[in-house]
Amino acid sequence: MAAARTVLLTGSNRGIGLELVKQLLGSPRPPAWIFATCRDPDGPRAQELRDLASKHPNLVLVKLDVENPSAVTDAAKVVEGKLNGMGLNLLINNAGIYTPTASLDTVDAEDMVRTYKTNAVGPMLMAQAFLPLLKKAAQDSKEKGLSCSKAAIINISTILGSIKKTPDSFFHPVISYRCSKAALNMLTMCQALTYKEAGILCVALHPGWVKTDMGTQEADLTVDTSVRGLLSVLPILSEKHSGTLLNWEGKAIPW
Ligand code: NDP
């Protein structure tokens, strides 16, 4: 199965995003370009990413806060310049925030809006800004159907955004997070239906409960296991998966 030649990720300075960068760099056929975006590529929280970039010329660090529309369009211009006529095969919307204490008793308007902006509006702005580059990749590809090696938007979502599965996990209410990720799931379906014509696959992936700053050390999966799973799911995705939510093992989760 072919691998994506050009990849862009958000929130790539720590957690799942950083591990995605590491495993993509270490893959048998690494992408020609990996655009690892983060809010502060020059700050202390991006040291590991900078160390990687100093060893891997195909890794490019780009400043990008997904909450800021002009930062998103600026980043798209930087990436377009670097790609120099090539398209973008794979956009991974990974950046996300989470308020663990947000029950219905405690959640407030500010937290609801802030979480929605990062987790749902951000991925929408990213897809809008990078659409011309994704379309270019789809047009330039000789592959039939939809695939991550051709052109794809992967939204890192969560089972906590599944309305159907809510009763099973409601001991953990996290209202702002659940609502924002349910919106991201809806966005994924709308993107899948809209961008199908342009040859772009759109899938939401649940990485499992992962040991990161967000997932805490109580989580089930190491970041290595989760990302290994996510990266093994990408090559099997085709048009039948577009507009669905799958977990890190490729199993479907109901919306
Ligand atoms: P972390 O909290 O470890 O990392 C979050 C990343 O998102 C950081 O790089 C952070 O950057 C970045 N980020 C946050 N806000 C913005 C923003 N406005 N613009 C750009 N980057 C931003 O989380 P995980 O790695 O665990 O989570 C990654 C994704 O996986 C998220 O979408 C999350 O919802 C999802 N997920 C995680 C699970 C888990 O158990 N860990 C379970 C299910 C889903 P900075 O360092 O600047 O804050």
Side-chain angles (χ1 to χ4, degrees):
M1 198 75 67
R5 302 305 299 141
T6 55
V7 181
L8 184 139
L9 309 96
T10 61
S12 44
N13 59 310
R14 59 191 170 97
I16 292 169
L18 178 63
E19 185 64 22
L20 279 165
V21 171
K22 287 184 188 167
Q23 292 194 21
L24 282 167
L25 286 170
S27 62
R29 197 166 164 254
W33 291 113
I34 301 174
F35 298 97
T37 76
C38 63
R39 289 197 270 208
D40 186 12
D42 301 318
R45 294 229 287 213
Q47 185 60 52
E48 233 183 308
L49 207 49
R50 286 198 299 277
D51 291 346
L52 285 170
S54 69
K55 293 187 205 106
H56 297 273
N58 56 336
L59 177 62
V60 180
L61 272 48
V62 180
K63 185 176 171 69
L64 199 166
D65 180 338
V66 300
E67 272 191 62
N68 179 344
S70 61
V72 172
T73 49
D74 287 351
K77 283 186 202 128
V78 170
V79 171
E80 187 184 7
K82 198 82 192 169
L83 283 171
N84 194 22
M86 280 168 82
L88 178 69
N89 298 121
L90 181 57
L91 165 63
I92 305 182
N93 284 312
N94 163 75
I97 56 169
Y98 165 83
T99 306
T101 52
S103 70
L104 273 179
D105 293 335
T106 59
V107 71
D108 58 20
E110 197 193 324
D111 181 44
M112 283 297 281
V113 172
R114 192 173 57 100
T115 310
Y116 187 82
K117 265 181 95 173
T118 303
N119 295 358
V121 181
M124 183 207 67
L125 294 174
M126 289 295 296
Q128 286 177 332
F130 287 90
L131 188 61
L133 291 172
L134 289 160
K135 280 185 174 170
K136 170 107 188 72
Q139 277 159 12
D140 291 350
S141 169
K142 292 185 185 66
E143 284 183 50
K144 297 224 182 317
L146 304 182
S147 70
C148 287
S149 51
K150 183 174 178 178
I153 299 169
I154 300 295
N155 293 324
I156 303 296
S157 187
T158 166
I159 197 167
L160 298 184
S162 160
I163 291 172
K164 177 101 191 211
K165 297 298 267 180
T166 304
D168 300 343
S169 59
F170 203 57
F171 56 88
H172 200 38
V174 288
I175 305 299
S176 47
Y177 186 68
R178 283 181 182 277
C179 292
S180 70
K181 291 289 190 174
L184 177 64
N185 290 348
M186 174 57 88
L187 176 75
T188 307
M189 177 59 96
C190 296
Q191 289 173 328
L193 294 171
T194 308
Y195 299 150
K196 185 180 169 191
E197 291 279 289
I200 303 168
L201 173 92
C202 303
V203 168
L205 288 183
H206 165 55
W209 185 24
V210 191
K211 293 183 202 295
T212 61
D213 294 340
M214 184 186 289
T216 77
Q217 288 309 303
E218 304 290 298
D220 294 332
L221 301 176
T222 63
V223 72
D224 174 77
T225 304
S226 166
V227 168
R228 235 163 256 295
L230 292 172
L231 290 180
S232 67
V233 170
L234 297 186
I236 62 157
L237 298 178
S238 69
E239 45 282 5
K240 73 173 183 205
H241 302 103
S242 204
T244 66
L245 170 64
L246 304 171
N247 76 3
W248 76 103
E249 293 174 309
K251 293 195 187 119
I253 299 172
W255 292 123

